[in-house]
């Protein structure tokens, strides 16, 4: 909303980055168009080809990087004229080669400089803290100088863990009735939180294990002993 052309989201594996990506893809206002790059390749042109594919630009496999960039810019210009905003989500950034990361950021942000104070393309980088070690000085400086452009996904506290489990159970039950939310007594929730350290992926694994064990035992509630 603030028009930051470069945003960074970090979190350990299982902290909810993938869930946040899906939420952004599904829940942003209709005038946003969201592109997702997961297989970044090992070069800038490979990333640009992924962007072009997301924009449904045909016949880009054999063109030069400059020509590919020009075609992308043309499409983005046209979208901007119709009031659409394009957001590029780049997942697992810590797996990229440093040169590819720098080239992607430098190429896209330089090519699409601000017009009337707005960028034609926003980039959101998702990864672990390891991505910071692969950033060049100018990129690090951007994040140090700009405000509201980075987010670190913290582990869930025990209240959030309880809310998350109950929400998942409500989804699983189709939203019908409140009985499903009582399947996990507080003692079970507290143990899940302690064992998972608030990590969402670990919470999912522990809850599934406890549910299966409770079902096998014919229990009416998922007690802590089933973990």
């Amino acid at each position: 909303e603030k028009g930051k052309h470069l945003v960074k989201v970090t979190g350990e594996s299982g902290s909810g980055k993938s869930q946040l990506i899906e939420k952004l893809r599904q829940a942003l206002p209709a005038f946003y168009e969201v592109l997702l790059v997961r297989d970044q390749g090992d070069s800038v042109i490979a990333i640009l080809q992924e962007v072009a594919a997301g924009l449904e630009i045909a016949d880009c496999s054999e063109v030069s990087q400059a020509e590919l960039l020009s075609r992308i810019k043309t499409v983005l210009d046209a979208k901007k004229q119709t009031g659409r905003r394009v957001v590029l989500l780049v997942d697992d950034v810590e797996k990229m080669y440093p040169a590819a990361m720098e080239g992607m950021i430098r190429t896209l942000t330089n090519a699409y400089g601000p017009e009337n104070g707005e960028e034609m393309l926003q980039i959101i980088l998702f990864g672990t803290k390891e991505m910071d070690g692969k950033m060049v000085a100018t990129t690090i400086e951007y994040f140090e100088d700009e405000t509201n452009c980075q987010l670190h996904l913290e582990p869930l506290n025990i209240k959030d863990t309880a809310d998350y489990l109950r929400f998942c159970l409500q989804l699983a039950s189709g939203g019908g009735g409140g009985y499903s939310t009582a399947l996990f007594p507080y003692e079970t929730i507290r143990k899940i939180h302690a064992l998972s350290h608030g990590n969402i992926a670990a919470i999912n694994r522990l809850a599934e294990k406890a549910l299966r064990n409770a079902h096998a035992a014919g229990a009416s509630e998922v007690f802590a002993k089933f973990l």
Side-chain angles (χ1 to χ4, degrees):
E1 291 180 346
K2 294 181 181 293
K4 303 294 183 182
H5 70 275
L6 192 58
V7 178
K8 179 178 67 171
V9 180
T10 57
E12 64 178 278
S13 178
S15 62
K17 297 188 297 296
S18 296
Q19 292 184 35
L20 178 55
I21 286 172
E22 291 308 312
K23 186 70 173 179
L24 289 171
R25 295 179 73 186
Q26 297 170 16
L28 284 177
F31 61 85
Y32 278 93
E33 184 168 338
V34 182
L35 308 179
L36 175 61
V37 172
R38 279 201 169 104
D39 182 13
Q40 306 98 343
D42 57 1
S43 65
V44 176
I45 193 167
I47 298 168
L48 294 179
Q49 286 170 344
E50 287 288 321
V51 173
L55 293 170
E56 299 182 341
I57 302 173
D59 302 323
C60 289
S61 58
E62 302 298 329
V63 301
S64 67
Q65 180 171 311
E67 173 61 22
L68 184 55
L69 201 56
S70 175
R71 293 185 188 183
I72 291 172
K73 185 178 185 301
T74 298
V75 172
L76 290 177
D77 283 339
K79 289 182 181 294
K80 186 177 181 181
Q81 295 304 314
T82 61
R84 298 188 66 79
R85 296 180 64 176
V86 180
V87 182
L88 174 63
L89 312 180
V90 187
D91 198 10
D92 293 328
V93 175
E94 76 280 358
K95 297 179 182 178
M96 297 177 67
Y97 290 119
M101 183 200 304
E102 178 193 4
M104 173 193 68
I105 293 171
R106 196 175 289 276
T107 300
L108 290 174
T109 55
N110 283 353
Y112 314 133
E115 286 187 8
N116 301 321
E118 291 188 6
E119 294 281 340
M120 285 187 284
L121 176 70
Q122 290 179 299
I123 304 176
I124 306 181
L125 308 173
F126 291 83
T128 66
K129 293 294 289 183
E130 293 175 10
M131 85 161 96
D132 291 338
K134 295 188 174 183
M135 289 182 175
V136 298
T138 51
T139 304
I140 294 173
E141 183 179 343
Y142 171 84
F143 288 116
E144 290 175 343
D145 290 345
E146 288 286 330
T147 59
N148 304 314
C149 65
Q150 51 189 327
L151 169 69
H152 180 68
L153 300 179
E154 300 288 347
L156 301 187
N157 59 37
I158 191 165
K159 180 184 181 301
D160 291 338
T161 299
D163 289 343
Y164 174 71
L165 285 169
R166 289 170 181 143
F167 176 71
C168 291
L169 288 168
Q170 285 177 329
L171 287 179
S173 66
Y179 175 72
S180 65
T181 63
L183 280 176
F184 284 82
Y186 180 74
E187 184 61 33
T188 305
I189 293 173
R190 187 167 65 178
K191 188 172 181 180
I192 288 175
H193 179 260
L195 293 173
S196 68
H197 303 288
N199 181 281
I200 292 174
I203 291 170
N204 291 340
R205 290 193 298 270
L206 289 164
E208 180 182 4
K209 174 186 175 182
L211 279 165
R212 289 183 180 276
N213 289 340
H215 175 72
S220 59
E221 294 183 31
V222 183
F223 298 110
K225 66 180 182 181
F226 293 123
L227 285 164

PDB file of all heavy atoms in Angstrom, residues 87-99:
ATOM      1  N   VAL A  87       2.637  -7.306  -8.784  1.00  0.00           N
ATOM      2  CA  VAL A  87       3.507  -7.639  -7.669  1.00  0.00           C
ATOM      3  C   VAL A  87       4.210  -8.952  -7.992  1.00  0.00           C
ATOM      4  O   VAL A  87       3.556  -9.943  -8.341  1.00  0.00           O
ATOM      5  CB  VAL A  87       2.712  -7.796  -6.357  1.00  0.00           C
ATOM      6  CG1 VAL A  87       3.657  -8.107  -5.194  1.00  0.00           C
ATOM      7  CG2 VAL A  87       1.907  -6.546  -6.062  1.00  0.00           C
ATOM      8  N   LEU A  88       5.522  -8.960  -7.891  1.00  0.00           N
ATOM      9  CA  LEU A  88       6.307 -10.158  -8.140  1.00  0.00           C
ATOM     10  C   LEU A  88       6.749 -10.748  -6.808  1.00  0.00           C
ATOM     11  O   LEU A  88       7.475 -10.118  -6.043  1.00  0.00           O
ATOM     12  CB  LEU A  88       7.529  -9.819  -9.002  1.00  0.00           C
ATOM     13  CG  LEU A  88       8.531 -10.960  -9.240  1.00  0.00           C
ATOM     14  CD1 LEU A  88       7.880 -12.105 -10.021  1.00  0.00           C
ATOM     15  CD2 LEU A  88       9.773 -10.451  -9.969  1.00  0.00           C
ATOM     16  N   LEU A  89       6.311 -11.976  -6.519  1.00  0.00           N
ATOM     17  CA  LEU A  89       6.722 -12.691  -5.318  1.00  0.00           C
ATOM     18  C   LEU A  89       7.829 -13.658  -5.703  1.00  0.00           C
ATOM     19  O   LEU A  89       7.662 -14.465  -6.615  1.00  0.00           O
ATOM     20  CB  LEU A  89       5.548 -13.475  -4.720  1.00  0.00           C
ATOM     21  CG  LEU A  89       4.218 -12.724  -4.543  1.00  0.00           C
ATOM     22  CD1 LEU A  89       3.168 -13.646  -3.930  1.00  0.00           C
ATOM     23  CD2 LEU A  89       4.400 -11.485  -3.689  1.00  0.00           C
ATOM     24  N   VAL A  90       8.947 -13.589  -5.020  1.00  0.00           N
ATOM     25  CA  VAL A  90      10.082 -14.466  -5.306  1.00  0.00           C
ATOM     26  C   VAL A  90      10.343 -15.305  -4.061  1.00  0.00           C
ATOM     27  O   VAL A  90      10.730 -14.778  -3.014  1.00  0.00           O
ATOM     28  CB  VAL A  90      11.344 -13.666  -5.682  1.00  0.00           C
ATOM     29  CG1 VAL A  90      12.450 -14.621  -6.148  1.00  0.00           C
ATOM     30  CG2 VAL A  90      11.029 -12.648  -6.782  1.00  0.00           C
ATOM     31  N   ASP A  91      10.125 -16.610  -4.159  1.00  0.00           N
ATOM     32  CA  ASP A  91      10.236 -17.500  -2.999  1.00  0.00           C
ATOM     33  C   ASP A  91      11.621 -18.144  -2.938  1.00  0.00           C
ATOM     34  O   ASP A  91      12.318 -18.262  -3.957  1.00  0.00           O
ATOM     35  CB  ASP A  91       9.162 -18.584  -3.084  1.00  0.00           C
ATOM     36  CG  ASP A  91       8.914 -19.265  -1.745  1.00  0.00           C
ATOM     37  OD1 ASP A  91       9.424 -18.781  -0.720  1.00  0.00           O
ATOM     38  OD2 ASP A  91       8.197 -20.292  -1.717  1.00  0.00           O
ATOM     39  N   ASP A  92      12.012 -18.550  -1.743  1.00  0.00           N
ATOM     40  CA  ASP A  92      13.286 -19.242  -1.509  1.00  0.00           C
ATOM     41  C   ASP A  92      14.466 -18.456  -2.059  1.00  0.00           C
ATOM     42  O   ASP A  92      15.370 -19.002  -2.716  1.00  0.00           O
ATOM     43  CB  ASP A  92      13.268 -20.644  -2.140  1.00  0.00           C
ATOM     44  CG  ASP A  92      12.269 -21.571  -1.456  1.00  0.00           C
ATOM     45  OD1 ASP A  92      12.065 -21.414  -0.238  1.00  0.00           O
ATOM     46  OD2 ASP A  92      11.711 -22.447  -2.130  1.00  0.00           O
ATOM     47  N   VAL A  93      14.494 -17.168  -1.775  1.00  0.00           N
ATOM     48  CA  VAL A  93      15.536 -16.294  -2.329  1.00  0.00           C
ATOM     49  C   VAL A  93      16.923 -16.707  -1.845  1.00  0.00           C
ATOM     50  O   VAL A  93      17.917 -16.532  -2.567  1.00  0.00           O
ATOM     51  CB  VAL A  93      15.240 -14.825  -1.963  1.00  0.00           C
ATOM     52  CG1 VAL A  93      16.375 -13.905  -2.417  1.00  0.00           C
ATOM     53  CG2 VAL A  93      13.935 -14.385  -2.602  1.00  0.00           C
ATOM     54  N   GLU A  94      17.002 -17.294  -0.645  1.00  0.00           N
ATOM     55  CA  GLU A  94      18.318 -17.683  -0.121  1.00  0.00           C
ATOM     56  C   GLU A  94      18.986 -18.752  -0.979  1.00  0.00           C
ATOM     57  O   GLU A  94      20.198 -18.968  -0.878  1.00  0.00           O
ATOM     58  CB  GLU A  94      18.194 -18.173   1.327  1.00  0.00           C
ATOM     59  CG  GLU A  94      17.618 -19.570   1.508  1.00  0.00           C
ATOM     60  CD  GLU A  94      16.105 -19.630   1.405  1.00  0.00           C
ATOM     61  OE1 GLU A  94      15.476 -18.563   1.223  1.00  0.00           O
ATOM     62  OE2 GLU A  94      15.543 -20.730   1.518  1.00  0.00           O
ATOM     63  N   LYS A  95      18.221 -19.418  -1.851  1.00  0.00           N
ATOM     64  CA  LYS A  95      18.785 -20.451  -2.722  1.00  0.00           C
ATOM     65  C   LYS A  95      19.368 -19.874  -4.018  1.00  0.00           C
ATOM     66  O   LYS A  95      19.998 -20.594  -4.785  1.00  0.00           O
ATOM     67  CB  LYS A  95      17.714 -21.487  -3.066  1.00  0.00           C
ATOM     68  CG  LYS A  95      17.190 -22.256  -1.850  1.00  0.00           C
ATOM     69  CD  LYS A  95      16.124 -23.256  -2.250  1.00  0.00           C
ATOM     70  CE  LYS A  95      15.574 -23.996  -1.033  1.00  0.00           C
ATOM     71  NZ  LYS A  95      14.493 -24.952  -1.408  1.00  0.00           N
ATOM     72  N   MET A  96      19.135 -18.601  -4.261  1.00  0.00           N
ATOM     73  CA  MET A  96      19.623 -17.984  -5.484  1.00  0.00           C
ATOM     74  C   MET A  96      21.118 -17.698  -5.396  1.00  0.00           C
ATOM     75  O   MET A  96      21.659 -17.454  -4.318  1.00  0.00           O
ATOM     76  CB  MET A  96      18.878 -16.666  -5.757  1.00  0.00           C
ATOM     77  CG  MET A  96      17.393 -16.814  -5.990  1.00  0.00           C
ATOM     78  SD  MET A  96      16.578 -15.211  -6.217  1.00  0.00           S
ATOM     79  CE  MET A  96      17.290 -14.702  -7.784  1.00  0.00           C
ATOM     80  N   TYR A  97      21.760 -17.707  -6.545  1.00  0.00           N
ATOM     81  CA  TYR A  97      23.139 -17.236  -6.597  1.00  0.00           C
ATOM     82  C   TYR A  97      23.152 -15.732  -6.302  1.00  0.00           C
ATOM     83  O   TYR A  97      22.269 -14.999  -6.777  1.00  0.00           O
ATOM     84  CB  TYR A  97      23.757 -17.491  -7.965  1.00  0.00           C
ATOM     85  CG  TYR A  97      24.012 -18.945  -8.270  1.00  0.00           C
ATOM     86  CD1 TYR A  97      23.392 -19.570  -9.346  1.00  0.00           C
ATOM     87  CD2 TYR A  97      24.878 -19.695  -7.482  1.00  0.00           C
ATOM     88  CE1 TYR A  97      23.621 -20.913  -9.633  1.00  0.00           C
ATOM     89  CE2 TYR A  97      25.120 -21.031  -7.759  1.00  0.00           C
ATOM     90  CZ  TYR A  97      24.486 -21.631  -8.835  1.00  0.00           C
ATOM     91  OH  TYR A  97      24.710 -22.958  -9.099  1.00  0.00           O
ATOM     92  N   PRO A  98      24.123 -15.250  -5.538  1.00  0.00           N
ATOM     93  CA  PRO A  98      24.159 -13.813  -5.226  1.00  0.00           C
ATOM     94  C   PRO A  98      24.096 -12.930  -6.472  1.00  0.00           C
ATOM     95  O   PRO A  98      23.411 -11.915  -6.476  1.00  0.00           O
ATOM     96  CB  PRO A  98      25.496 -13.658  -4.493  1.00  0.00           C
ATOM     97  CG  PRO A  98      25.728 -14.995  -3.859  1.00  0.00           C
ATOM     98  CD  PRO A  98      25.188 -15.999  -4.845  1.00  0.00           C
ATOM     99  N   ALA A  99      24.818 -13.320  -7.538  1.00  0.00           N
ATOM    100  CA  ALA A  99      24.815 -12.503  -8.754  1.00  0.00           C
ATOM    101  C   ALA A  99      23.440 -12.469  -9.401  1.00  0.00           C
ATOM    102  O   ALA A  99      23.010 -11.432  -9.935  1.00  0.00           O
ATOM    103  CB  ALA A  99      25.848 -13.046  -9.746  1.00  0.00           C
TER     104      ALA A  99
END
